[in-house]
Amino acid sequence: MTDKLSSFPITKKWPATRPDVLQLYSLPTPNGVKVSIALEELGLPYEPHLVKFDTNDQLSPEFLSLNPNNKIPAIIDPDGPGGEPLPLFESGAILIYLADKTGRLLPQDPARRYEALQWLMFQMGGIGPMFGQVGFFHKFAGKEFEDKRPRDRYVAESRRLLAVLDRHLQGKAWVVGDEYGIADIAIFPWVRNLAGFYEAGELVGYADFKEVDRVLQAFLARPAVQRGLNIPARG
C-alpha cells in the first residue's frame, strides 16, 4: 500500500502514517465536514490531514496535484475500485462514492436513490453557494459594501431555499423520509453554519423554519456528527 500512495505527490506534503486506510485532506468547514461525518457514520478507517487556508495549503503544487480546483475536501482511497487507489475531489462525488462503497447512507431502491441524489444536488447547486454568499456579504468582506443589494439578493434566495426545505421536511424524520443519509450529511452542516458561524439567523429569518431546525437538532445530536464536525482538528 505504501508504494501505491507514494505515487501521489500530495503524500510528500502530507505523509501517510497509515497508508492502508483512506486519506482525507480537508478542513472543518461545511463542505469539509460532509466527508468526515460520513466516514464517522460509516466507521471506515481513515487518516485526516489538515489543509490550512491561512497558509494557502490549497494552492500548493502537492494539493493541486490531487484537486486542480484547489478546494477541500479531497481523498485518496488506497482500496478503490478493483483494489487500486482512487483519488477523488468534490464533496458530493465523495459522498456518493463512500455510500456506494459501503452500501449505506444511500437507498438501495433505485427510485429512492435518485430522490436522495436530487436533494444532494439541491445542496450543492443551491444551499452551499447561496449560504456562502450570505456569509461573505454579511460577515466577511462584503459587510463593508454600502450597496446592500447583493447581500439582499442572496438573503432572499437563502430564505427561499430554507422554505423549500422546510415544506419538504414536514412529517419526515430526515430529508428522504425515515432514512438518514448523504442528503442530510450534505445539507445540515450548511444550515448550522448559516445561523451559527455566519451569524445570519436573524437576517434570513431562520426562526420561521421550524421543520428545518427540528431536523438540524436531530442531526447535531448524532455522535458521529459531533465527532465529524471537528475533523480534521485545527492546528
Side-chain angles (χ1 to χ4, degrees):
M1 294 292 186
T2 303
D3 290 340
K4 286 184 179 181
L5 287 186
S6 66
S7 66
F8 292 93
I10 196 167
T11 62
K12 303 296 188 294
K13 185 174 178 67
W14 290 276
T17 62
R18 302 171 61 199
D20 59 322
V21 304
L22 187 146
Q23 304 294 305
L24 170 65
Y25 307 90
S26 191
L27 186 69
T29 67
N31 275 337
V33 299
K34 294 179 196 175
V35 176
S36 54
I37 289 171
L39 288 166
E40 289 293 321
E41 292 280 9
L42 293 166
L44 286 173
Y46 69 101
E47 181 177 1
H49 303 279
L50 182 67
V51 179
K52 297 181 179 180
F53 282 11
D54 57 349
T55 54
N56 289 324
D57 281 352
Q58 76 278 16
L59 299 176
S60 65
E62 294 87 353
F63 188 80
L64 291 172
S65 71
L66 181 58
N67 184 359
N69 194 35
N70 65 271
K71 302 291 184 181
I72 58 95
I75 67 167
I76 304 174
D77 184 358
D79 185 27
E84 294 300 314
L86 176 71
L88 200 58
F89 64 88
E90 281 296 330
S91 59
I94 296 170
L95 287 177
I96 295 168
Y97 170 70
L98 294 175
D100 284 344
K101 178 183 176 75
T102 59
R104 296 171 56 196
L105 297 180
L106 191 58
Q108 296 299 303
D109 174 74
R112 299 283 281 176
R113 174 185 172 89
Y114 286 113
E115 181 184 355
L117 291 177
Q118 76 179 352
W119 286 103
L120 173 63
M121 301 306 160
F122 173 81
Q123 182 277 307
M124 295 177 64
I127 281 182
M130 293 304 106
F131 288 13
Q133 292 289 359
V134 169
F136 173 81
F137 283 102
H138 179 61
K139 180 164 184 173
F140 297 110
K143 68 182 178 181
E144 307 299 334
F145 297 176
E146 291 185 12
D147 186 349
K148 298 305 180 187
R149 286 175 297 178
R151 184 204 67 179
D152 292 346
R153 168 186 170 86
Y154 293 117
V155 167
E157 180 61 5
S158 295
R159 184 172 171 81
R160 187 191 70 82
L161 292 166
L162 285 167
V164 171
L165 185 60
D166 201 69
R167 287 191 299 270
H168 173 73
L169 288 171
Q170 290 180 12
K172 298 181 178 69
W174 301 106
V175 172
V176 186
D178 293 331
E179 196 165 346
Y180 173 81
I182 61 173
D184 306 286
I185 291 170
I187 289 170
F188 286 103
W190 276 103
V191 174
R192 171 182 178 261
N193 213 59
L194 181 69
F197 181 69
Y198 289 160
E199 301 172 350
E202 183 175 350
L203 186 66
V204 301
Y206 179 75
D208 295 337
F209 305 107
K210 307 296 186 185
E211 298 297 315
V212 172
D213 191 64
R214 170 182 61 82
V215 181
L216 172 64
Q217 298 311 317
F219 178 74
L220 295 175
R222 297 178 70 89
V225 171
Q226 295 170 16
R227 294 192 300 271
L229 285 171
N230 297 302
I231 297 173
R234 293 181 184 269

